[in-house]
Amino acid sequence: MRIEANDVFIGSAGLFLWVSGEIRNLNMIGGTIKTKNGNVGSIAATNHGSIENCHVEITIDTSAQKVGGIVGQNYGTISNCSNTANISLFTSHSQDSFVGGIAGVNYKTTQKCYNTGHISIEGKNFAAYAGGITGSNTKTASISNCYNTGNIRSIADPSGTSYDDYGTLARASGIAGRNIG
């Protein structure tokens, strides 16, 4: 499978762009996703529903802002899912960027998930967050019973003009690159 979204302004990509129902027992093995912008996830760019018992091993190579092995943005529930693929993100956008083995940004619930893939982000101009499970876990979100064994790397260009609230550009963590709460 190969997914490419070349629209510079929208560019979100995934097997589904938007999920508001249920996806269960889906395995995605082999293939690539390439895009320039937006939200990117192997299963969905944005999840407002439920994704359960899914496994992905899809190479993601992108310059999008919110990138995850399963979903780019999670506003729903992700449970019993795993990512074993490597994800690389290079961005020079005018806003913070996030990459995670399961979700780029988690706004709600991620539980019983794991990542073994290598996660890498290189950002220029704004903050770059990388996490084994999620790039950012917001104050309305929860992560429980999850683990990561993959390597996590975050590099930010020191010539960037914006720092996050902590005075740094690059953040990497085994679970969440940024945890607000």
Side-chain angles (χ1 to χ4, degrees):
M1 176 181 76
R2 182 177 175 95
I3 298 173
E4 285 195 43
N6 292 314
D7 188 312
V8 174
F9 299 104
I10 301 171
S12 292
L15 184 60
F16 302 97
L17 288 180
W18 185 278
V19 171
S20 59
E22 294 182 4
I23 296 177
R24 292 184 182 171
N25 306 316
L26 175 65
N27 292 317
M28 297 176 67
I29 310 297
T32 59
I33 296 177
K34 291 188 177 196
T35 185
K36 295 179 181 175
N37 208 348
N39 306 313
V40 178
S42 295
I43 293 177
T46 301
N47 175 43
H48 281 266
S50 175
I51 299 175
E52 298 178 30
N53 300 318
C54 296
H55 170 76
V56 297
E57 189 173 335
I58 304 279
T59 300
I60 299 175
D61 186 8
T62 183
S63 59
Q65 286 89 20
K66 297 173 184 172
V67 180
I70 304 293
V71 301
Q73 296 186 105
N74 179 43
Y75 291 94
T77 299
I78 302 172
S79 64
N80 297 311
C81 293
S82 62
N83 172 63
T84 59
N86 298 333
I87 302 172
S88 298
L89 170 59
F90 175 80
T91 183
S92 60
H93 295 288
S94 59
Q95 57 186 306
D96 296 348
S97 295
F98 308 91
V99 62
I102 303 299
V105 177
N106 182 41
Y107 294 97
K108 197 161 179 196
T109 305
T110 300
Q111 59 192 12
K112 300 178 184 174
C113 295
Y114 70 88
N115 173 66
T116 60
H118 301 300
I119 309 299
S120 174
I121 184 172
E122 187 172 338
K124 184 174 181 179
N125 299 331
F126 278 74
Y129 299 93
I133 301 301
T134 185
S136 179
N137 194 52
T138 67
K139 61 183 171 183
T140 60
S142 68
I143 296 174
S144 62
N145 300 312
C146 295
Y147 70 91
N148 169 64
T149 61
N151 293 326
I152 311 301
R153 184 182 94 162
S154 178
I155 299 171
D157 184 336
S159 67
T161 57
S162 175
Y163 292 85
D164 69 8
D165 294 336
Y166 306 101
T168 185
L169 282 170
R171 293 224 146 171
S173 172
I175 299 297
R178 176 175 75 174
N179 188 46
I180 302 169

